[in-house]
Each structure stands twice: as structure tokens, then as C-alpha cells.
Amino acid sequence: MFGKKASNNPTENLGKTNRIVQGTEITGNVFSEADFRLDGTLLGNFTSNGKLVIGPQGKLIGDIFCVYLDIEGIFEGNSTIKEQVSIRSTAIIKGNLTMNQLLVEAGAKFDATCQMTNQKNSEVEE
């Protein structure tokens, strides 16, 4: 915590997940090295070198930059995803998506433009 040096070990955050629970609202930008689950509301940009899950009660209005994105809730904005976007049947999407792979379940409300690219050798950037 205080006075502790940041680790350079890239595997240190494997298996760890940050979580914002339902009923919590954050205004501002969020950066996370580890995976992240959003069941509350984020009004701002999200950046991670891991996976973001927007749960069924989750809502994100802003831009997303991460490796994997799984949407069950609401997303409005632009996203640049290094690997795969999974849009579940309960999702509501408005915006622009750039990704390597796309999975959309039947029933999802999807009002977005998509661009599929091969980003395997690039870093997630804002």
C-alpha cells in the first residue's frame, strides 16, 4: 500500500479481479492491470491490460480499451479491444467497436458500428 514499490511481475495479477458492485456509481477514468467486473455504473473511460465484464446490472458510458470485453449490461461509447468482444443476450450497446473477434448472442440490442482488425501483436492504447 503506502511506500510499497510497484511490481514488475506481469503474472502477479493473474486470477485477481476488481469489482464495482451494483448501487455504486463512479465518475472518472479507471485503469486496472487486473481483470475487472462492473455491476455498478462507470461514467468515464476504462483501460485495462486484462478483461472487463459489464454485468447484467452494469452500465458504462465512456470509452473502453482492454484485451477482452464481455457485455451483459449497458455500454455507450467507443471501444478498442485487443482480442474478443462477447455481447450477451441481455446487452444494450450504442457506439463503435473495434476488435479482433466478435460474439453476439441472440436477443442483444446492438446499435453500433464494428471494425474487425488483427491486433494480436499490438498493445492496448488510448
Side-chain angles (χ1 to χ4, degrees):
M1 187 162 208
F2 296 107
K4 191 175 183 182
K5 281 185 155 182
S7 172
N8 290 330
N9 183 353
T11 62
E12 180 179 1
N13 291 319
L14 290 177
K16 296 181 181 178
T17 302
N18 293 296
R19 185 171 186 157
I20 302 299
V21 298
Q22 185 177 353
T24 302
E25 182 175 308
I26 296 175
T27 301
N29 298 328
V30 173
F31 176 80
S32 175
E33 283 290 335
D35 294 344
F36 201 95
R37 182 173 177 95
L38 178 66
D39 289 306
T41 300
L42 173 60
L43 304 173
N45 300 331
F46 176 85
T47 304
S48 176
N49 290 319
K51 177 179 183 176
L52 170 62
V53 175
I54 301 174
Q57 303 304 313
K59 181 177 184 178
L60 193 150
I61 299 176
D63 295 340
I64 300 173
F65 306 91
C66 63
V67 180
Y68 292 94
L69 176 60
D70 193 336
I71 306 171
E72 299 174 81
I74 298 171
F75 169 59
E76 295 180 21
N78 302 309
S79 70
T80 302
I81 311 305
K82 186 175 178 181
E83 291 294 335
Q84 180 175 301
V85 174
S86 298
I87 300 173
R88 306 300 175 182
S89 62
T90 56
I92 300 172
I93 313 289
K94 290 183 182 179
N96 301 299
L97 307 174
T98 301
M99 80 297 292
N100 190 30
Q101 298 175 8
L102 177 63
L103 169 75
V104 181
E105 291 182 353
K109 294 179 179 150
F110 189 78
D111 182 15
T113 60
C114 294
Q115 179 179 1
M116 296 183 78
T117 61
N118 184 355
Q119 301 176 10
K120 285 192 180 281
N121 295 322
S122 66
E123 292 295 319
V124 175
E125 296 179 5
E126 289 188 42

